[in-house]
Amino acid sequence: MSHKTPILYLLLIALPALLLTGAAIRLLVGVREQLASLEQERQRTIAEKVSGEVVTWVTTLQSELLQQVERLPQPTLQQELRALQQDNPFVRNVFIWESEKGVIFPKSSPVETEEQRFLIRFAPLFKGDYAWQESKSETDTSYSSRVLTKVQRRRSGWIPWFEGNQLHLLGWTEMGGKRIAGIELEMSAVVARLQSLLIPWTEGRLGGQGLELSDGQGGVLVAAGTHSKGQTPFELTLGAHLPHWLFKVYPKQTSSHLAERNILWIGGLLLLLVVASLAAGGFLLVRDAILQRQEALQKTSFVSNVSHELKTPLTSIRMYAELLADNKAATPDVMRNYLNVIVTESERLTRLVNNVLDFGRLEQKRRNYHCEPVKLPEFIISVLETLKGVLEASEMKLEINAEAESLVTADRDALNRVLVNLVDNACKYAAAGKSILVTIGNGKKQTFISVADRGPGIPTAHAKRIFERFFRVDDSVTATVGGSGLGLSIAQQLMHGMGGDLHWSPREGGGSVFTVTLPREDQG
Ligand code: ADP
């Protein structure tokens, strides 16, 4: 596996994840827009319906009022108009106008009365500055205009008039000759009536949705229902009948608004879940790739380490065997020396080969354990006996401290392998300490055997990893000593296989302590 493989894995996961995120965000935005446009469509429908009702009501009122005026008897017109003004709350002022004379009723007075204010308000119209314009029934297709057209036998109309930005409506009709009679609408009564027209809508079908009627300045005339601050309403003008007035419908507070928010939330959460699981999957995959790469590297270095480990003792054996074959040993002592080297080196070879074989069996889960009662310290002494050569070669002094005799359950071969590895390691890495202390002690249910040295110890950061296969501490001592990084990993696995354990701890005063624990046969 090359260096680039994890990056490739990462890209392979990150790219689709990004594309998916992009697509999901677009989808969510699309859904949101669709919901918003649906809500707007709904607002538009409501606005058209309700404002249609408002306009219909206003124009019907206007047409009825003008019909009433038209029907008034000419001789008593003034009295009749006055009576209409008093009886009908929608009539604010009444008037009679003649083309040459101007307003003939009511009479102008110096006192500031409502009537006087009315005459001043409409003075330009009454003076003849403006024409008496009919309602635009041809262009105006609203229901009201159609009603007006039907009843219109004489010229008549409604004139919108603004005073101080306030809308006033003046209705007029020809009464015969050059006489015009008319009325001014009482706008406050109109507004009050419109309020009672809107309330049933919001309280009924619209479920409290906010409706508003406002004038040209944005001043609220009628408000029904509720809306949150900052909500933008859908706005509709009310045509020539109520110029500059706006009908507003606010978005519904509950259902669709909530649904939109819920969809966004759920969508966002799902997206997060997908991206998180992709990221987690990607992380595992990349971690796996890195681990595989590390293992591949370790295996390569394992092969070269083992080859080197095999070669060193073989070279020594061959060299000393050749010396002996050529009769180069001058004295029997030198000959014994040569033979000792050959024995020690072949033992080293055997240990290495045994380790490799054990590793293979453990990897393939083919290692069988034949556990039986083993007597300590007898067994340990016999194992250490076989390591005499190694101990002598590294000039290590061995001390055994056996607190008591004990019977453990163990596979003799496996326990032998573990102890040999531990003592061999002490000779390899802690030879500078010159001594090894092997202690045997009994716990309640377990027996422990510890192998302690006075070597350099193991840094805590590495101590966690020394039982991993192929792991070797990267320091100056290890660099000069051959090894495969398998010994401790095999030893710990063998101990687990026998129901025991192996762990490392720092030794007080410097060095390492490797402790083997085994179940006690006599406490079983
Ligand atoms: P190997 O000895 O083949 O390298 P091991 O699994 O037996 O592999 O040991 C792993 C590493 O632990 C060694 O490379 C060495 O760095 C460290 N180690 C083992 N025993 C000792 C010890 N007694 N003192 C210091 N370091 C040790």
Side-chain angles (χ1 to χ4, degrees):
M1 184 180 307
S2 81
H3 276 75
K4 288 178 187 150
T5 316
I7 299 171
L8 195 74
Y9 275 24
L10 210 71
L11 278 178
L12 279 175
I13 289 153
L15 274 179
L18 278 176
L19 284 176
L20 194 77
T21 312
I25 288 173
R26 278 195 65 168
L27 195 80
L28 282 179
V29 170
V31 168
R32 202 196 148 127
E33 277 170 3
Q34 216 175 352
L35 281 171
S37 86
L38 269 176
E39 173 60 25
Q40 215 180 32
E41 200 45 49
R42 208 180 134 265
Q43 281 170 260
R44 177 199 296 278
T45 317
I46 294 168
E48 278 168 359
K49 255 191 191 161
V50 185
S51 71
E53 213 169 276
V54 167
V55 171
T56 306
W57 181 81
V58 170
T59 48
T60 311
L61 173 76
Q62 288 177 333
S63 107
E64 277 171 8
L65 285 172
L66 279 192
Q67 281 180 50
Q68 280 187 36
V69 173
E70 272 175 28
R71 280 198 294 267
L72 295 176
Q74 289 278 1
T76 53
L77 190 58
Q78 282 189 18
Q79 290 92 313
E80 295 292 343
L81 278 172
R82 187 63 83 203
L84 181 67
Q85 181 187 18
Q86 275 158 9
D87 295 346
N88 197 323
F90 295 107
V91 179
R92 183 172 180 178
N93 285 296
V94 290
F95 71 94
I96 302 170
W97 182 88
E98 279 181 14
S99 64
E100 256 101 60
K101 297 182 190 152
V103 178
I104 56 163
F105 172 75
K107 287 270 174 275
S108 169
S109 89
V111 193
E112 162 99 345
T113 56
E114 167 58 28
E115 251 168 27
Q116 191 55 29
R117 279 199 295 276
F118 163 68
L119 291 174
I120 294 167
R121 184 153 58 236
F122 290 95
L125 180 75
F126 293 145
K127 269 194 254 157
D129 296 351
Y130 289 89
W132 293 94
Q133 239 157 19
E134 288 183 73
S135 296
K136 289 186 267 164
S137 51
E138 328 76 42
T139 50
D140 196 340
T141 53
S142 69
Y143 170 78
S144 57
S145 336
R146 277 179 266 131
V147 171
L148 275 177
T149 321
K150 269 188 217 158
V151 298
Q152 204 171 304
R153 291 182 301 273
R154 308 173 189 177
R155 265 165 42 84
S156 67
W158 281 90
I159 296 169
W161 199 263
F162 287 93
E163 185 198 49
N165 282 319
Q166 249 191 318
L167 175 68
H168 299 268
L169 289 172
L170 190 88
W172 62 274
T173 177
E174 270 182 354
M175 298 299 286
K178 289 179 176 175
R179 184 178 265 198
I180 280 173
I183 55 169
E184 186 194 16
L185 264 188
E186 178 54 85
M187 293 310 277
S188 59
V190 170
V191 164
R193 182 66 188 82
L194 289 179
Q195 173 95 39
S196 58
L197 192 137
L198 293 194
I199 284 171
W201 268 97
T202 88
E203 284 180 357
R205 258 181 284 171
L206 301 183
Q209 190 166 0
L211 300 178
E212 233 174 60
L213 255 181
S214 64
D215 61 21
Q217 302 304 103
V220 178
L221 301 165
V222 177
T226 50
H227 68 268
S228 313
K229 254 190 180 177
Q231 275 187 324
T232 333
F234 180 84
E235 295 181 345
L236 207 68
T237 53
L238 294 170
H241 309 279
L242 296 163
H244 297 295
W245 277 24
L246 280 177
F247 185 73
K248 299 179 183 176
V249 178
Y250 284 92
K252 197 161 184 171
Q253 300 278 61
T254 50
S255 62
S256 71
H257 196 62
L258 264 179
E260 182 189 336
R261 283 229 315 245
N262 283 349
I263 283 180
L264 289 179
W265 263 107
I266 293 167
L269 271 177
L270 280 178
L271 181 67
L272 213 75
L273 214 72
V274 169
V275 171
S277 45
L278 267 175
F283 169 75
L284 290 178
L285 218 67
V286 170
R287 200 188 62 164
D288 208 40
I290 291 171
L291 285 178
Q292 274 185 29
R293 191 166 159 256
Q294 272 177 0
E295 200 159 301
L297 282 175
Q298 282 174 333
K299 276 181 183 160
T300 319
S301 89
F302 163 72
V303 171
S304 69
N305 278 347
V306 168
S307 315
H308 184 259
E309 284 289 279
L310 286 170
K311 210 177 146 196
T312 320
L314 270 177
T315 314
S316 303
I317 292 169
R318 202 180 136 190
M319 198 180 86
Y320 285 98
E322 278 173 5
L323 283 175
L324 285 172
D326 293 347
N327 273 330
K328 289 275 170 71
T331 61
D333 272 354
V334 175
M335 187 191 281
R336 206 174 305 117
N337 232 347
Y338 286 0
L339 284 170
N340 270 347
V341 173
I342 291 173
V343 171
T344 317
E345 291 302 297
S346 35
E347 278 171 0
R348 196 171 144 194
L349 257 182
T350 313
R351 281 198 300 276
L352 183 70
V353 171
N354 277 341
N355 263 353
V356 175
L357 286 176
D358 261 339
F359 175 68
R361 282 192 211 111
L362 285 166
E363 281 292 288
Q364 293 164 16
K365 311 242 179 302
R366 279 194 298 111
R367 182 64 162 91
N368 295 319
Y369 299 90
H370 305 287
C371 287
E372 55 185 330
V374 178
K375 230 175 159 188
L376 302 183
E378 229 174 272
F379 176 74
I380 291 174
I381 293 169
S382 71
V383 172
L384 295 174
E385 200 64 33
T386 63
L387 288 165
K388 238 179 174 174
V390 190
L391 288 162
E392 270 169 21
S394 51
E395 296 170 3
M396 289 289 250
K397 215 178 97 215
L398 176 72
E399 212 182 304
I400 302 176
N401 182 2
E403 283 171 13
E405 293 218 328
S406 49
L407 204 59
V408 293
T409 316
D411 176 311
R412 283 172 183 270
D413 182 50
L415 187 57
N416 181 340
R417 200 88 78 229
V418 173
L419 291 169
V420 167
N421 262 316
L422 294 180
V423 176
D424 192 34
N425 271 355
C427 294
K428 271 159 62 179
Y429 305 109
K434 298 280 177 212
S435 70
I436 304 177
L437 171 67
V438 177
T439 310
I440 303 153
N442 285 328
K444 251 191 178 171
K445 287 194 166 173
Q446 288 182 316
T447 292
F448 69 87
I449 307 156
S450 68
V451 178
D453 61 53
R454 283 283 175 211
I458 298 170
T460 335
H462 290 141
K464 285 180 195 150
R465 300 195 57 198
I466 53 173
F467 296 103
E468 285 176 19
R469 49 198 203 152
F470 308 124
F471 182 81
R472 303 198 74 214
V473 176
D474 192 9
D475 64 13
S476 56
V477 183
T478 312
T480 56
V481 182
S484 56
L486 284 180
L488 289 178
S489 151
I490 291 171
Q492 196 178 52
Q493 285 188 64
L494 289 175
M495 287 316 301
H496 288 165
M498 290 186 280
D501 201 2
L502 167 64
H503 64 265
W504 173 90
S505 54
R507 189 177 181 188
E508 229 173 273
S512 301
V513 185
F514 284 91
T515 309
V516 167
T517 48
L518 274 169
R520 279 178 69 172
E521 168 74 13
D522 44 359
Q523 299 296 310

